[in-house]
Amino acid sequence: MNSVIGEPLAAIPGLKWANRFAGLGTDFYTDRLPSPLPAPYWVGRNQALARELGLDEAWFASQEALALFTGNQVAPGSQPLASVYSGHQFGQWAGQLGDGRAILLGEISTPDGSQEVQLKGAGMTPYSRMGDGRAVLRSSIREYLCSEAMHGLGIPTTRALCVTGSDAGVRREEIETAAVVTRTSPSFIRFGHFEHFSYSDQHEQLKVLADFVIDHFYPACRESPQPYAALLQAVSERTAHLMAAWQSTGFCHGVMNTDNMSILGLTIDYGPFQFLDAFDPGHVCNHSDTQGRYAYNKQPNIAYWNLFCLGQALLPLIEAQDQALAALESYKTVFPEALEARMRAKLGLPDARPQDKALIETTFKLLAADKVDYTMFWRRLCHFGTPPGREKVRDLFLDRAAFDAWALQYSERLAHADIGLQADLMLKNNPKYVLRNHLGEQAIQAAKLKDFSGVNTLLTLLQAPFEEHPGHDSHAGFPPDWAASIEISCSS
Ligand code: AMP
Ligand code: MG
């Protein structure tokens, strides 16, 4: 195998590249080839996604694929680039950021539409600032597993096709090794892309970008008399649905800066994320977030704050400010409705009743009071109606009287419901498996010793998190005591 960039691979069977983002022009990006890594090896390959993308199975196992997805060779027809964006980080305007370590290879057409393919950790770009353009093995495995876990949970997300590693050293708090995640998404455009062109008074480019997003991803907005306000409203609604999904699943993102907000309402940029173990609404998963700006219970408001930034960025295209404000308003109704719908499904309530809002609030309070394990509570609750199911839920509580009072309220709501049907609904909405920090950590520790079996096993479980997977109960158990001391920071 030749690993010199510039000597292109032969055509990849079944794959044709398009480069629609590149068509926007060089105000939006800089052409940049990935920087090769020495002696790459496979860490994980996502066969399910490869099939969805229509990749040839034999080719995906080849040395050519390994070279391509490490950034050591370039596929014919691909036009690698790094895009420029800006953003608000931790509430402050941070100015220009951009793809500091991500390189967009281009776009492939798949049976489900176009997908952009991006290498994260593929070397320096003009937007690397002080960074080295690399990603370490630990954070790459976390992104790979979590994006597929989210997909398995039915939560909108970028996907991850594979991770490759190299023994090349990367300096973080200590020396670690390099890895590259191949991510796919219909688009990697962020709120920050709009902020970039708005804040730098490049309003023509702002319009080009908005038109690109409308034409490719929100064509219905074109029919509106105010297409750009309609775009803001559509993004607000998608983001509201995303927040409802995160909150109901107990997912903390950890770095909800505007440059980490997808214009398509997808979960993007997996860093210090965490699925809650104990239900602690104020939980902060990012060790670097000393103010707790991105605590679990603040996420819905932060999303709105970020949408407000997007609205501001779009103002030059929107005739009147009140149109932008009206477009943002939709978030305030869509989010609570979407959250309630998701929580009702988790509770096994197929129809909506006026008292549900109160029941949901009481449930959250009950869980918070005893810091009950969030995933475990919901999974056990699926069997509430069949003995000894209720006792097993009760066992999770210290304050049994509080649980009994809640259980009475819940039972009254359930009266006359078909227990079998209800359990079915709940088992499809309350996962058995989530990517708890300690599970990721165990797989990472083994992977550092070149044992990738833990990564593969987790991928299989997380891609089908509502299924039982006999023999894997240990992956669905309580976190060990040491899990509480895992510190995940922005360092990745
Ligand atoms: P993140 O917190 O990962 O979303 O990154 C914020 C910004 O820093 C983005 O512009 C990234 O491209 C950039 N960045 C993060 N890590 C690195 C790195 N190791 N090298 C270059 N740029 C980076
Ligand atoms: Mg980012």
Side-chain angles (χ1 to χ4, degrees), residues 26 50 70 109 115 138 141 143 163 211 233 245 265 267 283 308 381 422 492:
T26 49
T70 307
S109 53
Q115 294 287 330
R138 119 187 98 78
I141 289 175
E143 169 139 10
V163 180
D211 287 336
Q233 176 162 342
T267 315
H283 183 71
F308 197 89
L381 194 67
Q422 198 157 10
S492 60

Side-chain angles (χ1 to χ4, degrees), residues 85 120 190 259-260 269:
Y85 54 80
K120 181 169 177 180
R190 301 138 191 276
D259 54 303
N260 289 340
D269 280 12

Side-chain angles (χ1 to χ4, degrees), residues 144 266 394:
Y144 175 66
L266 309 173
R394 196 173 187 260

Side-chain angles (χ1 to χ4, degrees), residues 83 85-86 89-90 96-102 120-121 123-125 127-136 143 170-172 190 253 255 257 259-260 268-272 490-492:
S83 80
Y85 54 80
S86 295
Q89 297 187 316
F90 292 90
Q96 183 185 304
L97 303 163
D99 293 327
R101 54 174 169 172
K120 181 169 177 180
M124 301 243 274
T125 78
Y127 316 113
S128 299
R129 298 176 295 150
M130 311 297 282
D132 55 10
R134 291 298 179 195
V136 296
E143 169 139 10
V170 176
R171 184 180 293 277
R172 294 292 180 265
R190 301 138 191 276
H253 181 279
V255 208
N257 294 332
D259 54 303
N260 289 340
I268 191 171
D269 280 12
Y270 292 87
C490 280
S491 149
S492 60

